[in-house]
Amino acid sequence: MEDGQLFDLGPQHRKVQEIAREVAAKVEPFAAEADEAVDVHQGCLDALRASGLARYVVQAAYGGHDEVLDPLTIAVVREQLMYSSGHLDSMFGMQGVGSYSLSVGGSEELKQEWLPKVATLDAIAALALTEPDVGSDLRAITTTMVADGDELVVNGRKSFITNGGAADFYCTLVREGEGWSMVLVPAGTPGLSIERGDDLLAPHILGELAFTDVRVPAGNRLGVPGKAFSLMLQTLAVFRVTVAGSAVGLAQAALDEAKGHALTREQFGAPLIELGAVSQKLAQSWTDVEAARAFVYRAAALAKSDPLGHLDYSSMAKVHATEAAAQVVDRSVQTMGRFGLVRGSKIERLYRNARPLRVYEGATEVLLDSLARRLAKGVR
């Protein structure tokens, strides 16, 4: 995998990039097996835990690496991990996505209880937002929470929850009165039942959660009552651009597969890469990968200083990189001809792993609609 040339990473980012690259290389021999898993793959967990990379998604005060989380570091790590395995990338990314509302909105006691375990992967994190009838329009959720003395009582359902059934806690979005709140619900809390979710075209750890009079201490509240959307926005502001980093890693892997094939496969008496239409497809893909990488690195760097203030750029980077990855992997399959259609091949796995990127953490259409409204208001 080649380093980005259009955005100069500093020595600290290159150091963590190399660590992530080493983890990805360790996982590569069993990456296909891991990417078929719908439970935690022990090999990925062991490799990621030994690397210490999860410390980069937790603040230093709670066993993490940095005082302020750095979206560029996280994006660079996800790029390297996704190059080998979607399961590995998700395991790392969700430690941050699943715990960030706790980092920002949790009590000191709650943070001390959980975040050090997140940093060492001794606790797996999850974020429970979507519901059976609610996807992008999260203001329409129906899961409720009411205060009852020194307890909070949660009722409702959550659907398509990443790490559902594997997580040790769920940062859960609820309706509370006329507003929206968040609460941390530990796995195993009485009244919380979890079923395995649907099988996806790119296998994933998914769970369906049912809350029936689930009671947790009032101290498990995250953030201000009725104001949970600010917590969600902060999570998206930090982590949305890192999904774009994953897309760059996948696109690079697809390009490398196609290039390797085109260099070694002979047709009409010459390497396939000498066929103009093929070489142009590869050149276009290389262009797309480098443009996406530069955009992602720049947007992620901006997000560190002011995540919410630069959310537009994170959204644009996510749209651009995930759509580019889709184009690159499709061209790669075409370049490889019948070999690109073989079930169980790496390119087939990359093709399937590319598709969800354009849906989760902001579907392309939803993000473009939001960006269009911002543009109409004169924001630049």
Side-chain angles (χ1 to χ4, degrees):
M1 184 175 181
E2 298 179 7
D3 296 332
Q5 300 297 318
L6 302 181
F7 183 101
D8 188 23
L9 293 176
Q12 290 303 313
H13 288 112
R14 290 199 174 275
K15 179 182 176 181
V16 74
Q17 181 186 56
E18 188 56 37
I19 294 170
R21 188 172 289 162
E22 290 172 0
V23 175
K26 289 178 182 176
V27 167
E28 184 67 34
F30 52 83
E33 175 186 289
D35 283 8
E36 288 295 319
V38 292
D39 297 301
V40 172
H41 188 280
Q42 193 64 42
C44 286
L45 180 62
D46 291 344
L48 196 55
R49 184 180 279 155
S51 73
L53 284 173
R55 294 177 57 227
Y56 287 94
V57 300
V58 174
Q59 297 157 319
Y62 306 99
H65 188 275
D66 300 316
E67 293 295 334
V68 177
L69 300 195
D70 179 14
L72 178 55
T73 295
I74 299 167
V76 165
V77 170
R78 295 193 69 174
E79 177 187 354
Q80 301 301 317
L81 301 185
M82 189 64 155
Y83 184 86
S84 288
S85 166
H87 187 92
L88 179 64
D89 168 64
S90 179
M91 185 178 290
F92 169 78
M94 280 307 301
Q95 286 298 92
V97 173
S99 68
Y100 193 70
S101 52
L102 166 62
S103 296
V104 175
S107 68
E108 188 63 25
E109 180 182 1
L110 206 59
K111 289 188 284 190
Q112 291 286 359
E113 178 182 0
W114 288 108
L115 289 177
K117 297 176 185 176
V118 172
T120 58
L121 278 159
D122 290 312
I124 292 177
L127 180 64
L129 303 179
T130 59
E131 297 183 357
D133 296 320
V134 179
S136 299
D137 182 15
L138 289 173
R139 294 183 185 276
I141 63 164
T142 60
T143 299
T144 61
M145 183 173 77
V146 295
D148 183 17
D150 59 357
E151 292 184 319
L152 302 169
V153 185
V154 181
N155 282 280
R157 297 186 64 87
K158 294 293 179 180
S159 181
F160 264 64
I161 304 305
T162 299
N163 286 346
D168 293 279
F169 65 87
Y170 300 88
C171 294
T172 307
L173 181 67
V174 295
R175 283 299 301 266
E176 186 177 22
E178 297 301 311
W180 296 265
S181 298
M182 289 199 75
V183 59
L184 185 147
V185 180
T189 302
L192 171 60
S193 62
I194 304 173
E195 297 179 357
R196 180 177 153 183
D198 292 329
D199 289 328
L200 303 186
L201 61 92
H204 200 63
I205 303 174
L206 280 183
E208 303 289 311
L209 281 56
F211 300 83
T212 306
D213 292 328
V214 171
R215 290 179 173 269
V216 297
N220 282 31
R221 179 187 294 281
L222 304 175
V224 179
K227 304 292 184 182
F229 269 85
S230 66
L231 282 182
M232 281 198 310
L233 282 175
Q234 290 177 71
T235 300
L236 293 173
V238 172
F239 287 96
R240 176 175 287 160
V241 73
T242 75
V243 179
S246 300
V248 172
L250 185 146
Q252 182 72 63
L255 173 57
D256 288 352
E257 284 291 297
K259 182 178 74 172
H261 178 84
L263 286 168
T264 56
R265 173 74 169 164
E266 286 202 3
Q267 290 289 280
F268 308 107
L272 193 58
I273 200 167
E274 293 185 14
L275 187 64
V278 170
S279 61
Q280 288 180 21
K281 275 186 168 60
L282 293 171
Q284 183 63 60
S285 290
W286 184 19
T287 302
D288 289 345
V289 170
E290 292 298 344
R293 180 179 285 123
F295 195 169
V296 170
Y297 285 7
R298 177 60 177 155
L302 288 171
K304 182 177 182 180
S305 61
D306 184 5
L308 283 172
H310 293 109
L311 184 56
D312 289 345
Y313 289 97
S314 294
S315 296
M316 283 187 270
K318 201 266 184 181
V319 169
H320 181 267
T322 58
E323 294 291 334
Q327 292 294 319
V328 170
V329 74
D330 189 70
R331 285 191 211 107
S332 297
V333 169
Q334 189 70 16
T335 295
M336 296 174 71
R338 68 176 187 267
F339 299 98
L341 305 177
V342 175
R343 187 171 178 85
S345 64
K346 181 168 183 178
I347 196 65
E348 185 248 0
R349 177 160 55 91
L350 291 170
Y351 193 86
R352 289 188 288 114
N353 283 343
R355 193 60 188 84
L357 292 172
R358 294 154 62 198
V359 175
Y360 72 82
E361 287 195 44
T364 293
E365 294 76 13
V366 174
L367 297 185
L368 288 176
D369 192 54
S370 176
L371 288 167
R373 290 197 301 271
R374 298 277 290 162
L375 195 61
K377 291 178 180 178
V379 177
R380 287 191 61 187

